[in-house]
Amino acid sequence: MSPDTFSYESLAARVLFGWDAIHRLPAEIDRIGAKRVLVLSTLQQAKDAERVMAIVSKTSVGLFSGAVMHTPVEVTAQALETVTRVRADALVSFGGGSTIGLGKAIAIRNGMHHIALPTTYAGSEATPILGETDKGVKTTRRDPRILPTLVIYDPELTLNLPRSISATSGLNAMAHAVEALYAQDRNPIISIIAEEGIKAFARALPRIARDLHDREARATALYGAWLCGTALGNVGMALHHKICHVLGGSFDLPHAETHAVMLPHVLAFNAGAAPQAVAALGRAFDSNQPLKAFREFCLSLGVPTSLSQLGMTEVGLDRAADLAVANPYWNPRNFNRADIRALLEGAWKGDWQVEATDRLEKDNE
Ligand code: NAD
């Protein structure tokens, strides 16, 4: 990339990465001066969270295992009651974007220290962004104080991430990097980070699909998660994230799977208007047909390939198109409602192989 006009403001983040890095937690808790730590998790990960509690046993004051997707404000209120009851002065969120989202929602309300231990590749730990749901409406805000005090990436914590979530969560992360590459406010540092993040997942996900306990691939994927999350936290997202936001927020489609289905479609739609992103993808996949390579990559991982597979109804497509074009995010390619309706229909049917290629050819005419 040749340097063009850009502005860049780095986020203050402390990150520790490595096998067994979780054992650095007690020293880090000392470092920030915390004395009473509340661990956060989902119900599904409560058992594993007990291991974290054992590691911080000197300062542990309990576990709140009620984290759920989309950070409902009622759950945050319950967690805040627990914080007050056990007189916690720091949080350790152990889990994916849902649990880390809860940690952010508490910390932005009361200023507590928040240490994140990511166990998926969603990337929330690296962003100053918080999405919350109140009475079924999801709103997102950005504030530097939302960023966790510290992130500890220990690949050991991801070894049990099931095959399907590993793949979809990895594609969720890759979507951050793809959109960062064509962001309106992109800059050279974030473009390098995004390309390296895509490359990490391009290498790691096929190996994880074959062997969940491939330690080298797990470490590479978690490294990719940090990079892609950093890209998400630093530049604006475009059409892909807008559509996924609509499908998750208003149609309750599952977060990572929706990203996995939509990404090849939106990428093909935007490709003609984002040659620099396509070139970076080509380098990351070591291919001179990057879109084809990416589609084959998705297929090889066995992820869902259509919105209908995720439970989206055909009648919902019109409303989804309306919502996606209302207050649109900036996008490298201009679009109208009919474009988005057609894009959604292709994704709903899962016939992106034909549709995506056609679109690209049209763009290149
Ligand atoms: P998640 O946190 O909901 O986790 C999915 C499921 O996998 C949960 O049941 C969880 O308990 C389980 N799980 C997680 N790690 C596991 C492991 N290592 N082993 C076994 N099971 C494990 O899913 P997610 O995709 O990480 O996060 C989605 C949420 O995060 C959404 O609400 C999304 O909006 C939010 N998010 C926010 C940002 C941001 O920057 N604010 C970024 C990405 C995602």
Side-chain angles (χ1 to χ4, degrees):
M1 173 183 191
S2 64
D4 211 330
T5 310
F6 63 87
S7 62
Y8 174 68
E9 202 174 314
S10 71
L11 296 168
R14 178 168 167 79
V15 172
L16 302 178
F17 188 101
W19 292 97
D20 290 333
I22 192 176
H23 292 288
R24 296 171 69 179
L25 202 43
E28 290 296 320
I29 290 169
D30 262 5
R31 213 178 74 88
I32 59 174
K35 304 274 183 254
R36 302 178 64 81
V37 170
L38 179 68
V39 177
L40 308 174
S41 77
T42 59
L43 198 55
Q44 295 86 338
Q45 285 179 281
K47 194 102 203 86
D48 289 339
E50 286 172 13
R51 218 188 113 219
V52 180
M53 290 169 74
I55 290 170
V56 297
S57 59
K58 256 178 51 196
T59 47
S60 170
V61 292
L63 168 68
F64 179 88
S65 60
V68 293
M69 205 167 273
H70 304 312
T71 329
V73 290
E74 311 82 73
V75 173
T76 302
Q78 286 167 20
L80 279 163
E81 275 175 33
T82 307
V83 166
T84 307
R85 184 169 45 76
V86 301
R87 292 181 292 115
D89 60 6
L91 302 164
V92 171
S93 59
F94 166 77
S98 298
T99 306
I100 293 168
L102 175 61
K104 288 171 158 183
I106 299 170
I108 190 66
R109 283 170 172 75
N110 65 13
M112 287 174 86
H113 281 296
H114 171 206
I115 299 175
L117 304 179
T119 65
T120 70
Y121 306 132
S124 175
E125 67 285 350
T127 82
I129 305 165
L130 170 63
E132 296 185 280
T133 322
D134 191 2
K135 298 182 189 76
V137 179
K138 190 164 179 176
T139 50
T140 300
R141 57 177 154 151
R142 184 183 269 268
D143 185 320
R145 292 169 304 157
I146 289 170
L147 202 65
T149 316
L150 165 71
V151 182
I152 299 183
Y153 288 104
D154 185 340
E156 186 83 37
L157 308 182
T158 62
L159 288 178
N160 289 334
L161 189 65
R163 181 168 277 102
S164 60
I165 309 184
S166 298
T168 53
S169 186
L171 285 164
N172 180 192
M174 292 173 94
H176 308 330
V178 165
E179 294 228 302
L181 285 167
Y182 55 58
Q184 186 178 28
D185 56 351
R186 66 184 179 276
N187 63 67
I189 288 189
I190 295 303
S191 296
I192 291 167
I193 286 175
E195 184 174 329
E196 175 76 358
I198 293 173
K199 194 167 156 186
F201 281 112
R203 304 283 176 281
L205 291 185
R207 286 174 57 173
I208 292 170
R210 284 192 293 276
D211 174 8
L212 290 182
H213 293 100
D214 180 331
R215 293 170 71 85
E216 192 181 275
R218 283 297 195 182
T220 303
L222 197 59
Y223 164 67
W226 172 48
L227 298 174
C228 294
T230 300
L232 171 69
N234 277 278
V235 294
M237 295 290 113
L239 181 62
H240 171 82
H241 279 74
K242 174 71 187 187
I243 289 178
C244 291
H245 198 124
V246 165
L247 296 174
S250 302
F251 297 86
D252 212 21
L253 296 198
H255 180 81
E257 290 88 335
T258 305
H259 275 271
V261 168
M262 286 309 308
L263 187 57
H265 293 269
V266 183
L267 183 55
F269 181 82
N270 278 338
Q276 76 290 353
V278 177
L281 199 69
R283 289 189 294 273
F285 275 90
D286 197 17
S287 166
N288 54 12
Q289 290 181 292
L291 295 183
K292 185 161 177 270
F294 183 66
R295 292 195 299 265
E296 284 169 358
F297 174 76
C298 293
L299 279 181
S300 75
L301 295 175
V303 295
T305 53
S306 69
L307 293 178
S308 60
Q309 269 174 284
L310 304 185
M312 180 79 185
T313 58
E314 192 170 8
V315 289
L317 296 177
D318 277 318
R319 198 171 135 245
D322 290 341
L323 292 170
V325 296
N327 308 315
Y329 300 172
W330 180 88
N331 191 60
R333 178 177 163 187
N334 290 333
F335 56 79
N336 57 31
R337 188 192 175 281
D339 294 327
I340 301 308
R341 179 65 175 76
L343 182 65
L344 284 168
E345 186 163 332
W348 183 77
K349 290 180 178 155
D351 63 356
W352 49 261
Q353 296 185 53
V354 177
E355 175 247 18
T357 312
D358 283 350
R359 282 186 180 281
L360 184 65
E361 281 168 359
K362 239 190 247 163
D363 283 340
N364 287 341
E365 268 169 18

